[in-house]
Amino acid sequence: MTGRVPPTTIAVGSDYDVVIGSGVLGGVADLLGPDVARVLVVHPPTLPELTARVAAGLEARGVVVHLAEVPDAEAAKTATVVAELWGQLGRAGFTRTDAVVGVGGGTVTDLAGFVAASWLRGVRVVQVPTTLLGMVDAAVGGKTGINTAEGKNLVGAFHPPAGVLCDVDVLETLPQADLAAGLAEVVKCGFIADPVILELVESAVAADPAVARSAANPHLRELIERAVRVKAEVVAADLKESSLREILNYGHTFGHAIEQVERYTWRHGEAISVGMVYVAELARLAGHLTGPDGDALVARHRSVLESLGLPTRYSAGRWDELLTAMRRDKKSRGSTLRFVVLDGLAQPARLVGPDDVLLQAAYGLVSRAGQGRAH
């Protein structure tokens, strides 16, 4: 009888570890450290059983647990919710040796991280992402934030967690559309740094497209580990997104604009999928991707993402709204737009201040069919 594969631990520099495995939820207390007396567990209303398991594991180690249920999805990431959590921490007398634990998708880990960063100028936080997107993106890297009416994640702080715990078993109940959206961020890591990711996705799709976009994907744990390694290496070299870390934003400038224009009714990964195709077309128009190899790489964006059921086109007639949203993006410098592009597979580069004619031409190439979501 074959035993369970032991967890994989990926170090993010010397700051913290990301633990990936099956049945690892009991390890939250180990990541927090021995001196934590109280923990605020921030969670959405949709995960009562998982939250109870995390809380029970902490209580078994003598930790006093305070539960904080927050709204689901982007509705959690508001100043009002943050203020409510600050109030709960204050009433419970949380000190700098106490901690916050975020249990949920990327919105919860973003929120929990920001609350931890801002309470007493910073207390420990352990993230327990329960979605694929959270595991490979939001929970890893120490970027925290909330939304305002003017845009997504415009208020936030860099606050590395004490640890991240990714239990792949929880993905078995994740809706397929949410898992596919998380795979968009995994695919992004393939294009910017680790082409083996693309090969694993393509081989899984060739064997069975339905399985490839589900938790039954035989490569899913390896895909998670590879994506986390990409992010861990970049984050360790550039904690505060001053240079190298910007490559992790591949596809995000246009993707975030879609999210804002659609009032966050699109899943993040769906918007980033279109954003990657957009920036691939932009790179070709700007001369970063040339010749047959460049054409093939642009086509590979579409083929890989569409094989996972992700959209690669966006509605025509929305250019003015999208451009306005992009100019408000936090990655812009003044009025100058910045894009991460590719010079080739796993060869990221920067495109600063491209002409508006090129920007609109690339939009035309992702909106010619006049489609919205291509599901």
Side-chain angles (χ1 to χ4, degrees), residues 176-196:
Q176 184 168 309
D178 291 325
L179 193 133
L183 284 170
E185 288 283 357
V186 176
V187 166
K188 175 201 75 178
C189 292
F191 280 118
I192 65 171
D194 184 0
V196 174

Side-chain angles (χ1 to χ4, degrees), residues 225-304:
E225 291 177 4
R226 284 183 174 275
V228 169
R229 286 188 195 281
V230 169
K231 186 156 190 179
E233 289 173 7
V234 172
V235 167
D238 180 15
L239 174 63
K240 295 192 174 181
E241 202 171 57
S242 59
S243 56
L244 177 64
R245 186 166 175 165
E246 196 173 25
I247 71 172
L248 296 173
N249 293 322
Y250 186 64
H252 281 56
T253 300
F254 191 79
H256 280 166
I258 290 176
E259 288 183 286
Q260 187 174 338
V261 169
E262 295 293 336
R263 300 182 183 275
Y264 305 106
T265 58
W266 278 48
R267 292 175 177 84
H268 176 72
E270 293 170 344
I272 299 311
S273 177
V274 180
M276 284 189 281
V277 176
Y278 173 83
V279 83
E281 293 285 11
L282 180 61
R284 178 161 56 178
L285 291 171
H288 282 261
L289 293 176
T290 59
D293 289 345
D295 293 343
L297 187 53
V298 174
R300 195 176 188 187
H301 279 69
R302 283 195 167 88
S303 64
V304 171

Side-chain angles (χ1 to χ4, degrees), residues 29 47-48 59 69 79 94 112 117-118 157 178 195 200 204 232 251 272 316 331 341 351 364:
L47 298 172
E59 289 169 343
E69 183 179 295
F94 270 57
S118 53
D178 291 325
L200 290 172
I272 299 311
K331 293 176 288 299
V341 296
L351 177 61

Side-chain angles (χ1 to χ4, degrees), residues 35-90:
D35 57 340
V36 173
R38 286 171 291 245
V39 166
L40 182 72
V41 177
V42 181
H43 67 96
T46 51
L47 298 172
E49 293 183 10
L50 276 178
T51 302
R53 286 167 58 190
V54 170
L58 289 166
E59 289 169 343
R61 299 283 288 271
V63 178
V64 176
V65 175
H66 298 261
L67 297 178
E69 183 179 295
V70 297
D72 200 17
E74 296 291 337
K77 292 174 57 173
T78 68
T80 299
V81 174
V82 169
E84 290 171 355
L85 296 178
W86 285 334
Q88 192 167 348
L89 291 170

Side-chain angles (χ1 to χ4, degrees), residues 15-41:
D15 295 325
Y16 59 95
D17 291 333
V18 180
V19 179
I20 303 166
S22 298
V24 296
L25 284 180
V28 174
D30 293 328
L31 293 175
L32 282 170
D35 57 340
V36 173
R38 286 171 291 245
V39 166
L40 182 72
V41 177

